Amino acid sequence: MSVDAETVEIDPAECSADLVAVGMFEDEAIPTLATGAPGSRDASGKKGSAVVLYPSEDRRVVVVGLGRREDFGVEEARVAGATSQEALVGVNGGSLAFVLPDEGPAPRVAAALVEGAILSSFDFDHFREGEGRLEKIEILAPVDDETDSAIRFSRVCSNAANRARHLQSLPANFATPEFLADRAREIAGAHPAVEVEVLDREQIIAAGMGGLAAVSSGGREVEPRLITLKYTGRGSGEVLGLIGKSVTFDTGGISIKPSADMHEMKMDMSGGAAVLEAVAAIAELELELDLIAVLPATENVPSGTALKPGDVITQLNGKTVEVTNTDAEGRLILADALVHCARQGADRLVDIATLTGAVLVGLGSTYAALISDDDDLAAEVTAAAEETGELVWRLPLHEEYFELTKGEITDLVNASPQRKAGTIYAGSFLEQFTEGRPWAHLDIAGTAWGTGRAYWGKGPTGFGTRLLVELARRQAS
Ligand code: BES
Ligand code: MN
Ligand code: ZN
């Protein structure tokens, strides 16, 4: 499942990989590796194009179009990595080598090729035989430390993102809260710097996590879990808090969703999956920082014991909430998780959640929404996002949005009767639970699944996994 990647200092003509990918810019010459091969004139350099050629009996080359040289950057390299990997699938190969394009910063371009190839090789083959089998990537370039460590970083992050995508894809009868807890225990077992704590329903209730208790009250067979992971990579300094929405299935509860696309709500734990696998990657990379990750994990299902519209609950910080819509469940469990994360010692909070359908309307599948009460943290998250290509766009907070979240009989209501600024409303709600810590919220309901981007395809994206590791890396350095 995990793909290997390294730099190898050999002549591309001597490379024994199943497929050697070489880039070609638009309106430029055919790369020497391919010149003279039958059909080489079909290679165009057009962005997204790929022509497989056989310069000799035992060698296979794919000429990948990189578009115009002046437009070429890291994202284009990611796409080229993906295109090459698709070509590898086409020839049924397992090992892929890249000739580094002579454009852009070598370490970053090399890392992006690796990312694009690994990410595009994701195939959810849990319930049928798989199609791709990318096992090994070689970057054909002079070995140097900077390129080596960039490749290692992107390899670890991309494999982690693929594991998050696997979790996203697993249906609710497999990826239960306890299943996520088991994965957390597995991560802690593999890395001495990681500790795990898992609370069950009774403990969640006893702790005063009224939001998580309420949302999980409908499901009596599938038990909720509050999963906390602590990573000590430094032992001092600022503690980063990561919180991931982990609703393993969202029916809407008593405010039930229409049945048409309801099956898609198995991915309502995408934020938790990203956090979980980001922590695994951070531990694998031994990044020098401390962090606390919290996953509130539950189903949101209707039953005789379920939370009802109009019910009033008390969150972990004592604030009361009238639950006017049981389908606005994410904010209720995140509220407790934010407070818990802060109280466990996090100095800054970043939550990630498939929180609102409204973000799809506003930003589609290209940008996730970023909402933050702290300009420095928002800038850091944005910079990390630009680095990894998991794009975010900041939405505003304002007193008037906060007004909308105020209750008549309680401190807050979880959904407004007015259909105004749904994504910001949810953000304003969450802001009441940050315990005064700098906080950033990522709404990934539009980007977690079905973006259609070259290296993500139609399915799960693992959105946020690489971004969170990059954020941690920035804090560590
Ligand atoms: N999990 C959904 C949001 C969602 C929508 C995720 C589409 C992925 C794709 C969330 O719990 C939800 O149901 N939100 C409601 C909130 C509303 C009732 C205020 C929504 O956005 O419709
Ligand atoms: Mn919902
Ligand atoms: Zn939900």
Side-chain angles (χ1 to χ4, degrees):
M1 214 168 103
S2 182
V3 182
D4 218 5
E6 60 179 7
T7 37
V8 180
E9 203 164 351
I10 55 162
D11 182 348
E14 305 296 316
C15 178
S16 63
D18 294 332
L19 185 64
V20 179
V22 56
M24 175 177 169
F25 289 106
E26 218 167 303
D27 302 325
E28 294 192 9
I30 293 163
T32 40
L33 197 60
T35 42
S40 65
R41 263 176 301 171
D42 286 356
S44 70
K46 275 230 166 56
K47 200 169 156 180
S49 68
V51 180
V52 177
L53 299 169
Y54 297 81
S56 67
E57 186 62 31
D58 57 347
R59 276 189 318 111
R60 203 191 274 121
V61 170
V62 60
V63 181
V64 176
L66 302 178
R68 289 145 52 99
R69 185 178 279 272
E70 57 271 33
D71 299 335
F72 185 75
V74 168
E75 179 66 9
E76 285 67 29
R78 259 180 224 118
V79 172
T83 309
S84 308
Q85 193 282 139
E86 296 292 325
L88 182 76
V89 174
V91 301
N92 219 349
S95 59
L96 178 62
F98 288 100
V99 178
L100 257 192
D102 61 343
E103 183 66 46
R108 294 186 64 203
V109 170
L113 289 168
V114 169
E115 265 165 37
I118 295 181
L119 292 172
S120 81
S121 76
F122 173 77
D123 180 33
F124 184 61
D125 56 6
H126 199 68
F127 300 117
R128 57 145 171 79
E129 204 177 323
E131 279 157 6
R133 54 180 189 91
L134 175 65
E135 281 157 13
K136 189 174 175 206
I137 301 169
E138 292 174 339
I139 299 288
L140 306 177
V143 176
D144 82 82
D145 284 354
E146 212 188 324
T147 304
D148 274 354
S149 70
I151 287 172
R152 170 166 182 260
F153 186 79
S154 65
R155 167 177 61 77
V156 171
C157 291
S158 307
N159 281 315
N162 283 353
R163 292 194 304 273
R165 295 160 90 187
H166 180 81
L167 290 174
Q168 287 183 280
S169 306
L170 282 174
N173 59 334
F174 286 76
T176 59
E178 173 60 10
F179 185 93
L180 297 178
D182 268 340
R183 175 63 189 136
R185 292 182 191 110
E186 190 176 67
I187 293 167
H191 303 283
V194 180
E195 285 171 66
V196 63
E197 186 190 49
V198 179
L199 303 187
D200 64 15
R201 188 193 299 272
E202 254 177 49
Q203 294 166 311
I204 289 163
I205 294 168
M209 298 178 181
L212 182 55
V215 172
S216 60
S217 64
R220 290 284 151 180
E221 277 73 39
V222 176
E223 290 287 304
R225 297 286 183 258
L226 190 282
I227 305 163
T228 306
L229 284 163
K230 287 189 184 168
Y231 169 68
T232 310
R234 187 187 174 115
S236 64
E238 274 210 316
V239 178
L240 178 63
L242 302 176
I243 300 96
K245 173 177 173 181
S246 305
V247 173
T248 56
F249 197 75
D250 184 11
T251 67
I254 298 292
S255 313
I256 200 159
K257 289 178 182 293
S259 60
D261 294 320
M262 201 198 273
H263 64 278
E264 291 176 1
M265 284 302 127
K266 69 175 183 180
M267 58 71 108
D268 212 17
M269 33 56 74
S270 298
V275 168
L276 213 45
E277 297 306 338
V279 172
I282 289 164
E284 186 177 344
L285 292 162
E286 300 181 320
L287 296 184
E288 286 184 25
L289 84 161
D290 296 345
L291 69 81
I292 299 175
V294 179
L295 278 72
T298 179
E299 285 191 340
N300 183 26
V301 294
S303 80
T305 59
L307 179 68
K308 300 172 293 298
D311 283 359
V312 171
I313 63 167
T314 304
Q315 301 274 355
L316 183 55
N317 67 350
K319 292 210 166 138
T320 54
V321 180
E322 183 183 4
V323 181
T324 51
N325 191 325
T326 66
D327 198 10
E329 85 295 342
R331 60 204 71 179
L332 303 176
I333 66 170
L334 286 170
D336 290 338
L338 283 162
V339 173
H340 179 68
C341 193
R343 291 187 180 171
Q344 289 290 304
D347 296 305
R348 326 193 282 166
L349 303 171
V350 178
D351 78 72
I352 176 162
T354 46
L355 207 59
T356 66
V359 78
L360 261 148
V361 178
L363 297 172
S365 291
T366 304
Y367 285 86
L370 163 65
I371 295 176
S372 177
D373 61 357
D374 187 273
D375 289 346
D376 293 336
L377 180 56
E380 261 182 76
V381 170
T382 306
E386 271 162 16
E387 182 73 39
T388 66
E390 296 157 290
L391 302 174
V392 301
W393 196 261
R394 191 173 178 186
L395 300 181
L397 286 167
H398 191 285
E399 179 74 19
E400 289 173 8
Y401 297 123
F402 170 56
E403 285 300 316
L404 298 174
T405 68
K406 287 187 177 163
E408 264 177 46
I409 61 164
T410 48
D411 296 323
L412 297 157
V413 290
N414 79 329
S416 152
Q418 310 182 49
R419 291 175 58 241
K420 283 183 180 171
T423 302
I424 302 176
Y425 180 102
S428 295
F429 184 95
L430 293 179
E431 199 196 357
Q432 308 313 303
F433 300 93
T434 58
E435 301 271 280
R437 309 292 195 284
W439 153 80
H441 159 64
L442 294 168
D443 191 335
I444 58 165
T447 50
W449 199 281
T451 61
R453 206 179 282 177
Y455 45 87
W456 282 333
K458 289 178 289 187
T461 62
F463 192 101
T465 312
R466 292 178 300 121
L467 188 165
L468 294 177
V469 184
E470 174 62 22
L471 188 68
R473 191 190 67 78
R474 282 161 187 261
Q475 183 171 320
S477 60

